Structures are given as C-alpha cells and as structure tokens.
Amino acid sequence: MNTEKAKIQMRKGILELCILSIIKRGDCYSSDIIEELKKAEMIVVEGTLYPLLTRLKNAGMLSYRWEESTSGPPRKYFDITPKGEEFFEELKQNWTNLTQTVDKLIKY
C-alpha cells in the first residue's frame, strides 16, 4: 500500500480549514496563501488552490477585491465573510474532535 496516496488524501481533507485559517488572519493574495501553506509543509499547487478558492467564494465563505499591482496585472485579494467565519469555527471544532478521537485510537 502506498502511504504517499494516503497522505495526499489527508491533506485534501483539511485544506479548506487551512486556507480559511490563513485568510482569517487578514485578506490574502493567492500566492500569499500558497507561500503560507508551503512554510507549513502543506504543499499545494495553484491548480488545487484556485478551484477551492472559487468554490468557497461561490458558497459565500469568501469575498474578494481587485487591487492594482505595481508589477503586473491587478491582484485578487480574498477575505473571509461572516458565513466563512462560522464555517471555519465548525471545521475547527470538527478537526479538534477528530484528532482527539484518532489520538485515542492510535495510542492503544
């Protein structure tokens, strides 16, 4: 069995929580989000991030604004909405419950 595939699936499952956590700290440009994920060793490519940001925006979890850039085209900055804040808190609580349950199971 390939553990790399299992690791990828685990990361995908918590990616929304991680992205919302980053954006919750302050509005972000997509490359800022990718950089934060890389620093945390949660490697994500743009092809994974953009559809997820669009899905969260379409669900009302994120808003965005365009800002002119001094070096290239305008940039889209994302911010979390009140609905996104609620969703983040629910995900965070679910994550806490899940990790506590898994910790109990793997310690025995």
Side-chain angles (χ1 to χ4, degrees):
M1 187 138 210
N2 187 342
T3 57
E4 193 59 36
K5 286 182 182 179
K7 286 185 341 186
I8 289 169
Q9 287 303 112
M10 284 186 221
R11 284 186 187 135
K12 283 183 181 180
I14 59 168
L15 200 49
E16 285 181 352
L17 175 62
C18 295
I19 290 169
L20 289 172
S21 177
I22 292 167
I23 296 172
K24 190 173 175 347
R25 296 182 220 148
D27 56 347
C28 295
Y29 179 57
S30 55
S31 64
D32 297 333
I33 297 168
I34 290 173
E35 185 62 33
E36 284 290 320
L37 292 168
K38 285 181 180 177
K39 281 184 196 174
E41 298 180 18
M42 177 73 75
I43 306 302
V44 172
V45 295
E46 290 178 6
T48 301
L49 180 64
Y50 289 124
L52 184 50
L53 289 171
T54 299
R55 194 166 59 247
L56 289 168
K57 179 192 66 70
N58 290 344
M61 307 296 170
L62 299 176
S63 61
Y64 68 88
R65 74 178 194 292
W66 289 99
E67 196 171 291
E68 290 298 321
S69 171
T70 57
S71 59
R75 294 180 172 190
K76 186 188 279 189
Y77 283 84
F78 291 90
D79 194 18
I80 194 165
T81 64
K83 185 176 179 181
E85 294 261 2
E86 289 177 31
F87 184 60
F88 170 75
E89 291 301 326
E90 289 176 30
L91 287 177
K92 190 168 76 168
Q93 184 59 53
N94 288 335
W95 175 252
T96 299
N97 294 342
L98 180 62
T99 56
Q100 288 172 353
T101 300
V102 171
D103 283 347
K104 286 178 193 174
L105 290 169
I106 62 176
K107 287 182 181 178
Y108 297 108

